[in-house]
Amino acid sequence: LQLAVHFLVLTGLGRGVLRLDPNELYLASNANVGGPTTAAAMAQAKEWNKLVLPALLVGVLGYAMATALSLSLGPILIRLATR
């Protein structure tokens, strides 16, 4: 269910609001769910050569954002758990 909602929101916003190419949206979804290596492999397998580097960058950016979020959220959750 979570992946279905993710895909519907991504394609809805990407196609409807931002008017992005479907290939870019599919690759962005892959980078968000599977990480940079699977997204780059998908781009290479589909012969979307111009999208290999952006796939890697989006995946690494996702890792960086998740790390920062978890480091800031961790202490808050620990304080809530010890109450």
Side-chain angles (χ1 to χ4, degrees):
L1 179 64
Q2 181 181 359
L3 288 177
V5 170
H6 158 80
F7 189 73
L8 290 174
V9 169
L10 184 73
T11 55
L13 287 176
R15 281 185 155 171
V17 177
L18 301 174
R19 307 220 188 276
L20 295 174
D21 183 40
N23 294 344
E24 294 171 349
L25 294 174
Y26 304 148
L27 202 56
S29 176
N30 188 323
N32 284 309
V33 174
T37 52
T38 60
M42 177 183 170
Q44 189 69 37
K46 297 281 189 179
E47 296 181 2
W48 301 334
N49 295 325
K50 67 176 184 147
L51 295 177
V52 173
L53 183 59
L56 287 170
L57 293 175
V58 167
V60 170
L61 177 64
Y63 283 166
M65 289 173 55
T67 299
L69 182 65
S70 65
L71 288 174
S72 63
L73 188 60
I76 295 169
L77 293 175
I78 289 174
R79 273 189 258 131
L80 289 173
T82 58
R83 285 186 175 188

